[in-house]
């Protein structure tokens, strides 16, 4: 009998219950016991939703981040967080956010970056040559016992030792791999603890196995799993986000009890693996797409799985390709979603249902689920033939693109001189990334407008008042280049998708981005075009309020693509170019309306990189090309900005330069300007704004701290090409945090214009929670 299982489930709750509980705790309005109760309720519901599986994952729930949880499980707590007065939960949130609810002290939060090529952010483990590991299994044991009490067979989920070291960062230039001999005994202790609870299988996630590993890492892989093979619990080695390729020999030789592979992105390897695994090993095929929301073609999948099942029998396991963390919880609440399109979709709960149908068909024949298979096939056929999906005029526009659409009229050096004369900005010009705090009043007005209880005129007036507030605040602070604050925008991608043809939106399809931050990705179901202007009226109104330059704020095509659920029936490059043409129209309309600075955010450019460097060039060619199609139709006097956040972009710096934006703003505050190390060797030609205000932490940076960071930046970038700005938008912060932080930023710029101090400052001055 084939087995069905899951690698992980969304943990935020169907109505973002975890988010709401955490934020209540951080504000001091609830004890952490309230969060614990909410978490227990979510875990119970999650287990019940998966109760039909042969193995249910546990330890996939987290109060903030599963990588942070792994650091805590291993006892890898950097010394700056170890204070006798802090509780374990206060230490946890200081690592995550720089501050907890019950502490007045603040420090640098752990660095945050993207989990492989997803839009999920994880807290980067920190290492030194002296790092030790002392397991603390309390949370893990509690989660296992809690699930066992509900009557399911559990499969604990852990990040594997190689991936844990690989995704971390050594703070003293040591080699994290040198810590493996210290780390493996900690894993052995954890596995023995799991086995003592009567658990038979544990899942060890090693997604680095779909990347290009050098010899020292593949050797370490063999060393690690040879030592862990002594465990008294069966180990399922789980890889995902791609195919094994050059790592397939190393994986097939490992002394593990089972291997999980991504059967969506690595489909071509399934048959080979079925032939090569040892006679006593399990092969888990991740055949349901854990990264996207389209229904699977179940008959097609069965055509592939049935021959493998005949050979492997009960050694075949079937699962999603990866954790379902990356998709929404359930379609059930989407009562307003277009009925046709809804019938094409499957969220986490529905993917579990698909697994159940596949398991039933494999074990008892297709006839046992013939009605379910027939309904599934009807939905697949309806989508493939729908005239709502395919628009000939859009396809023609993409086919007619040439390299001329990608090029500015003059090279940067010429444009820079024209723009300098036009804008007359001071040295170290100050600006923000775009958004200002989204207050309760803003959200309420937007919600009332959406449900029809606030008319267009009153809504416009409400948003004009908020725009005026943002503009006046910036003028009071003395910022040099202003923004309108984005009061009218729910999300930097959703806002644009709602006004583009080819997109559809949900009400409750939330996905965790990091911690309590959730996003509701648009769904790109068809060819994309722009029927009307999207931002021009709002930006034009903001510019009418001030003599200072106002930035037009747009989201770039690559970010819209990478932060959406994308149609899977054509190449992503084609869809991206369709979006690029739509946003290009908006750029040109902004310029025609007198907006001379336009920011096209490409926060997600880096995360779309294939995990193998050998595949990078093909991606970067169309991704950078799409940005240039969007941005480069303007006159030389128009200054194009772009923004990137929380990405290790040093290895694609030449491609970022090739985007030819006049100004690029980036996140550097959490890394303490480490991300600028690339400029020691690469002479970046254009202007750059290294973020000096970590907006993902409640801490307020001091003037001296900002001066210190910018002084570090001047060691790599000429001062005349530096801007001063936060590292991201301010929508998630409060006004009483933003105003003093931006004041300190402006004061720092004024100081920098007079001198270049080198003193090291404390990281924050506030006691915000």
């Amino acid at each position: 009998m084939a087995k069905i299982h899951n690698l992980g489930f969304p943990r935020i709750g169907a109505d973002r219950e975890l988010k709401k509980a955490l934020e209540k705790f951080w504000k001091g309005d609830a004890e952490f016991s309230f969060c614990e109760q909410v978490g227990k309720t979510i875990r119970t519901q999650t287990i019940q939703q998966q109760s039909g599986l042969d193995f249910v994952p546990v330890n996939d729930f987290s109060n903030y981040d599963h990588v942070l949880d792994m650091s805590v499980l291993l006892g890898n707590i950097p010394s700056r967080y170890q204070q006798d007065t802090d509780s374990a939960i206060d230490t946890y949130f200081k690592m995550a956010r720089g501050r907890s609810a019950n502490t007045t002290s603040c420090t640098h939060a752990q660095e945050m970056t993207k989990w492989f090529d997803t839009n999920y952010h994880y807290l980067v483990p920190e290492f030194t040559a002296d790092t030790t590991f002392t397991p603390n299994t309390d949370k893990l044991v509690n989660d296992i016992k809690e699930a066992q009490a509900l009557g399911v067979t559990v499969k604990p989920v852990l990040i594997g030792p190689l991936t844990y070291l690989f995704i971390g960062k050594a703070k003293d230039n040591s080699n994290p791999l040198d810590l493996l001999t210290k780390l493996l005994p900690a894993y052995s202790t954890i596995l023995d603890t799991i086995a003592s609870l009567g658990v038979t299988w544990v899942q060890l996630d090693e997604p680095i196995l779909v990347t290009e590993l050098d010899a020292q890492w593949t050797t370490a892989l063999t060393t690690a799993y040879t030592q862990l093979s002594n465990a008294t619990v069966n180990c399922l080695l789980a890889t995902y986000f791609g195919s094994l390729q050059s790592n397939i020999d190393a994986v097939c030789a490992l002394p593990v009890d089972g291997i999980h592979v991504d059967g969506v992105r690595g489909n071509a390897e399934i048959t080979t693996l079925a032939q090569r695994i040892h006679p006593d090993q399990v092969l888990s095929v991740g055949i349901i797409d854990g990264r996207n929301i389209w229904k699977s073609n179940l008959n097609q999948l069965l055509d592939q799985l049935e021959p493998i099942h005949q050979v492997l029998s009960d050694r075949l396991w079937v699962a999603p390709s990866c954790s379902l963390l990356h998709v929404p919880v359930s379609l059930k609440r989407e009562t307003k979603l277009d009925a046709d399109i809804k019938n094409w979709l499957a969220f986490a709960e529905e993917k579990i249902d698909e697994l159940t149908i596949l398991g039933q068909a494999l074990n008892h024949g297709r006839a046992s689920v013939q009605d379910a298979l027939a309904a599934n096939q009807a939905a697949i056929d309806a989508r493939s033939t729908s005239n709502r999906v395919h628009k000939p005029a859009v396809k023609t526009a993409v086919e007619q693109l040439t390299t001329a659409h990608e090029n500015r009229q003059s090279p940067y050096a010429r444009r820079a001189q024209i723009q300098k004369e036009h804008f007359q900005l001071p040295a170290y010009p100050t600006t923000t990334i775009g958004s200002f705090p989204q207050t309760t009043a803003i959200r309420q007005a937007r919600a009332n407008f959406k449900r029809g209880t606030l008319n267009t005129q009153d809504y416009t007036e409400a948003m004009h008042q908020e725009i005026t507030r943002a503009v006046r605040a910036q003028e009071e602070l003395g910022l040099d280049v202003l923004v309108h604050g984005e009061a009218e925008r729910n999300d930097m991608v959703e806002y644009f998708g709602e006004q583009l043809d080819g997109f559809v939106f949900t009400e409750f399809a939330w996905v965790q981005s990091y911690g309590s931050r959730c996003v509701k990705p648009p769904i790109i179901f068809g060819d994309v075009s722009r029927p009307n202007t999207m931002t021009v009226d709002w930006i034009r109104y903001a510019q009418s309020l001030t003599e200072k330059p106002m930035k037009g704020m747009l989201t770039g095509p690559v970010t819209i693509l990478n932060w959406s659920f994308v149609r899977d029936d054509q190449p992503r490059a084609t869809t991206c170019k369709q979006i690029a043409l739509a946003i290009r129209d908006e750029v040109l309309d902004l310029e025609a309306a007198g907006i001379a600075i336009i920011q096209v955010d490409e926060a997600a450019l880096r995360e779309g990189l294939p995990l193998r460097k050998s595949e990078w060039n093909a991606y970067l060619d169309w991704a950078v090309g799409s940005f240039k199609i969007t941005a480069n139709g303007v006159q030389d006097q128009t200054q194009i900005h772009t923004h990137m956040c929380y990405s290790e972009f040093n290895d694609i710096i030449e491609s970022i330069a090739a985007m030819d934006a006049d100004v690029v703003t980036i996140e550097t505050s959490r890394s303490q300007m480490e991300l600028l190390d690339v400029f020691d060797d690469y002479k970046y030609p254009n202007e750059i704004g290294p973020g000096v205000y970590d907006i993902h932490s409640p801490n307020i940076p001091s003037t001296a701290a900002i001066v210190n960071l910018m002084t570090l930046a001047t060691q790599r970038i000429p001062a005349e090409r530096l801007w001063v700005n936060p590292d991201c938008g301010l929508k998630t912060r409060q006004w009483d945090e933003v105003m003093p932080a931006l004041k300190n930023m402006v004061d720092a710029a004024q100081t920098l214009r007079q001198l270049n101090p080198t003193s090291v400052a404390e990281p924050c001055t506030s006691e915000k929670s």
Side-chain angles (χ1 to χ4, degrees):
M1 303 285 280
K3 301 288 194 296
I4 54 174
H5 72 113
N6 186 21
L7 275 66
F9 202 83
R11 57 220 186 193
I12 57 175
D15 195 31
R16 296 177 294 160
E17 295 92 335
L18 180 62
K19 167 193 172 66
K20 297 169 185 176
L22 287 172
E23 292 178 354
K24 192 172 183 179
F25 166 66
W26 292 335
K27 291 178 181 178
D29 294 337
E31 297 296 323
F32 188 68
S33 58
F34 174 68
C35 300
E36 291 179 308
Q37 185 56 51
V38 170
K40 183 175 182 178
T41 300
I42 292 172
R43 291 192 298 273
T44 299
Q45 293 170 344
T46 293
I47 289 168
Q48 291 170 342
Q49 288 160 347
Q50 300 175 89
S51 60
L53 302 180
D54 293 297
F55 296 98
V56 175
V58 296
N59 199 46
D60 54 337
F61 177 86
S62 174
N63 283 307
Y64 200 94
D65 166 47
H66 62 279
V67 181
L68 175 60
D69 288 1
M70 196 70 213
S71 291
V72 173
L73 174 61
L74 291 167
N76 180 20
I77 312 295
S79 59
R80 68 181 180 278
Y81 303 114
Q82 298 176 10
Q83 295 188 20
D84 293 339
T85 57
D86 286 344
S87 67
I89 198 62
D90 288 334
T91 299
Y92 181 88
F93 286 120
K94 285 174 71 175
M95 293 172 71
R97 308 171 64 244
R99 186 189 300 277
S100 184
N102 301 318
T103 56
T104 57
S105 61
C106 59
T107 188
H108 296 301
Q110 287 196 300
E111 192 174 334
M112 188 162 61
T113 194
K114 297 297 177 66
W115 177 246
F116 292 84
D117 60 348
T118 74
N119 186 34
Y120 178 79
H121 305 65
Y122 72 92
L123 277 299
V124 179
E126 295 180 14
F127 308 123
T128 69
D130 298 324
T131 294
T132 58
F133 303 97
T134 306
N136 179 351
T137 59
D138 291 349
K139 173 187 177 297
L140 174 63
V141 169
N142 176 75
D143 285 2
I144 292 172
K145 289 182 176 180
E146 183 181 84
Q148 288 174 328
L150 294 171
V152 297
T153 302
V154 303
K155 174 171 55 67
V157 178
L158 304 173
I159 297 172
L162 272 295
T163 293
Y164 182 74
L165 292 177
F166 189 87
I167 64 175
K169 179 177 287 188
K171 292 298 184 178
D172 58 357
N173 295 317
S174 60
N175 183 357
L177 200 51
D178 292 340
L179 296 172
L180 186 63
T181 55
K182 296 181 183 179
L183 182 61
L184 290 177
Y187 269 84
S188 294
T189 298
I190 293 167
L191 294 179
D192 287 344
T193 300
I194 291 172
S196 72
L197 298 172
V199 174
T200 57
W201 281 91
V202 63
Q203 174 184 317
L204 291 170
D205 288 356
E206 294 284 12
I208 64 163
L209 292 172
V210 302
T211 68
E212 291 160 334
L213 298 176
D214 60 30
Q216 68 168 339
W217 283 94
T218 54
T219 299
L221 177 74
T222 302
T223 299
Y225 282 90
T226 298
Q227 183 167 332
L228 295 180
S229 66
N230 296 322
T232 54
V233 62
N234 294 313
C235 290
L236 178 72
L237 179 79
T239 72
Y240 42 79
F241 300 153
S243 56
L244 293 170
Q245 296 187 34
S246 58
N247 298 321
I248 194 168
D249 290 339
V251 170
C252 287
L254 292 176
V256 294
D257 303 288
I259 300 169
H260 171 87
V261 291
D262 188 330
V264 177
R265 293 187 173 189
N267 188 271
E269 294 178 342
I270 295 175
T271 300
T272 299
L273 285 162
Q275 296 168 346
R276 292 190 58 179
I277 62 169
H278 302 159
D280 58 348
Q281 282 182 320
V282 160
L283 176 63
S284 170
V285 179
I287 205 70
I288 301 291
D289 193 345
R291 294 279 297 273
N292 216 330
I293 43 69
W294 304 105
K295 276 185 175 175
S296 302
N297 187 329
L298 298 183
N299 280 309
Q300 192 176 81
L301 297 185
L302 286 168
D303 289 343
Q304 185 175 8
L305 290 172
E306 285 169 341
I308 299 173
H309 185 221
Q310 290 178 0
V311 174
L312 297 182
S313 188
D314 60 353
R315 293 191 297 126
L316 173 64
W317 291 15
V318 183
S321 57
C322 61
S323 170
L324 298 179
L325 168 71
H326 309 288
V327 298
V329 176
S330 175
L331 265 173
K332 290 177 181 175
R333 298 183 66 196
E334 300 296 339
T335 57
K336 297 181 180 179
L337 188 60
D338 179 281
D340 289 341
I341 296 173
K342 182 178 179 179
N343 194 40
W344 303 342
L345 306 179
F347 295 171
E349 280 190 19
E350 290 73 32
K351 290 178 186 293
I352 298 299
D353 292 341
E354 289 184 332
L355 276 177
T356 302
I357 295 168
L358 288 176
Q360 182 75 9
L362 288 171
N363 293 325
H364 302 288
R366 297 195 195 193
S368 66
V369 285
Q370 61 181 358
D371 290 344
L373 291 176
N376 172 264
Q377 193 62 54
I380 299 297
D381 293 343
R383 180 184 169 211
S384 66
T385 58
S386 173
N387 58 14
R388 300 176 63 186
V389 172
H390 307 287
K391 305 291 184 182
V394 177
K395 296 184 186 301
T396 299
V398 171
E399 291 168 356
Q400 292 176 345
L401 284 169
T402 68
T403 55
H405 289 87
E406 300 181 13
N407 298 323
R408 291 292 293 267
Q409 294 179 351
S410 301
Y412 168 74
R414 172 62 178 155
R415 302 196 312 266
Q417 185 60 38
I418 293 172
Q419 292 164 14
K420 181 178 180 181
E421 294 172 359
H422 176 69
F423 294 113
Q424 296 290 310
L425 295 173
Y428 297 102
T430 56
T431 190
T432 65
I433 302 306
S435 60
F436 269 76
Q438 291 264 320
T439 63
T440 300
I442 290 174
R443 291 192 175 97
Q444 189 63 55
R446 195 164 55 230
N448 290 342
F449 178 61
K450 208 165 194 178
R451 68 172 63 101
T453 59
L454 187 67
N455 63 40
T456 300
Q457 181 178 343
D458 290 343
Y459 173 71
T460 300
E461 177 58 29
M463 293 302 101
H464 280 179
Q465 290 177 8
E466 296 293 343
I467 291 170
T468 301
R469 176 184 183 182
V471 171
R472 297 293 175 246
Q474 292 170 86
E475 289 189 318
E476 176 187 337
L477 289 163
L479 288 160
D480 300 306
V481 173
L482 311 189
V483 298
H484 80 294
E486 302 181 13
E488 80 286 358
R489 303 186 189 182
N490 43 12
D491 175 82
M492 65 181 290
V493 173
E494 184 175 0
Y495 174 79
F496 291 97
E498 285 178 334
Q499 300 178 78
L500 294 171
D501 285 343
F503 284 75
V504 70
F505 290 84
T506 60
E507 289 184 275
F508 306 104
W510 296 99
V511 178
Q512 185 181 26
S513 178
Y514 66 87
S516 68
R517 170 69 170 152
C518 302
V519 295
K520 191 149 51 70
I523 297 170
I524 305 176
F525 73 90
D527 291 329
V528 177
S529 60
R530 186 197 72 149
N532 300 293
T533 61
M534 301 179 286
T535 68
V536 174
D537 290 343
W538 300 115
I539 306 296
R540 183 160 41 198
Y541 174 76
Q543 183 66 85
S544 73
L545 300 174
T546 181
E547 295 298 319
K548 290 190 172 184
M550 178 66 59
K551 272 196 296 187
M553 305 300 305
L554 303 173
T555 303
V558 184
T559 297
I560 291 176
L561 182 87
N562 285 334
W563 287 358
S564 298
F565 291 121
V566 184
R567 57 189 294 193
D568 57 358
D569 60 340
Q570 72 178 11
R572 290 172 69 87
T574 300
T575 303
C576 196
K577 289 176 182 177
Q578 292 179 357
I579 303 170
L581 283 172
I583 304 299
R584 179 187 178 96
D585 290 343
E586 189 73 12
V587 168
L588 296 177
D589 282 341
L590 281 169
E591 183 183 53
I595 305 302
I597 299 180
I598 301 170
Q599 182 171 306
V600 182
D601 289 340
E602 284 294 18
L605 179 76
R606 173 64 172 81
E607 76 185 46
L609 272 179
L611 296 176
R612 294 179 178 273
K613 289 186 177 181
S614 59
E615 300 170 2
W616 283 11
N617 286 342
Y619 165 78
L620 289 169
D621 182 60
W622 62 257
V624 171
S626 294
F627 173 85
K628 294 171 74 174
I629 289 167
T630 297
N632 287 356
V634 296
Q635 303 297 311
D636 287 344
Q637 182 173 292
T638 299
Q639 188 176 77
I640 295 294
H641 291 223
T642 190
H643 171 66
M644 299 175 183
C645 59
Y646 291 99
S647 292
E648 296 282 355
F649 57 81
N650 292 6
D651 44 10
I652 60 165
I653 189 63
E654 292 185 2
S655 295
I656 292 174
M659 294 168 70
D660 199 25
D662 298 302
V663 182
V664 58
T665 53
I666 56 175
E667 181 279 322
T668 53
S669 57
R670 284 204 175 191
S671 67
Q672 295 294 288
M673 294 289 168
E674 284 181 13
L675 291 179
L676 296 186
D677 288 350
V678 66
F679 299 117
D680 289 337
D681 299 317
Y682 185 84
K683 303 307 178 186
Y684 186 77
N686 301 12
E687 296 178 40
I688 189 165
V692 292
Y693 166 19
D694 175 13
I695 68 89
H696 295 86
S697 168
N699 296 338
I700 294 173
S702 66
T703 299
I706 296 171
V707 169
N708 183 58
L709 288 174
M710 290 303 299
T711 301
L712 292 173
T714 62
Q715 297 172 11
R716 298 168 174 87
I717 307 291
E720 63 269 19
R721 289 199 278 114
L722 282 171
W723 287 59
V724 184
N725 47 261
D727 60 14
C728 204
L730 303 169
K731 66 179 290 185
T732 61
R733 302 262 55 95
Q734 304 297 316
W735 275 102
D736 60 353
E737 300 168 320
V738 164
M739 291 299 285
L742 292 182
K743 181 182 185 302
N744 291 347
M745 193 183 81
V746 171
D747 289 346
Q750 292 171 345
T751 300
L752 287 161
R753 291 164 191 162
Q754 302 174 42
L755 49 87
N756 186 21
T758 58
S759 60
V760 177
E762 292 299 316
C764 56
T765 59
S766 163
E767 296 185 0
K768 298 299 296 182
S769 61

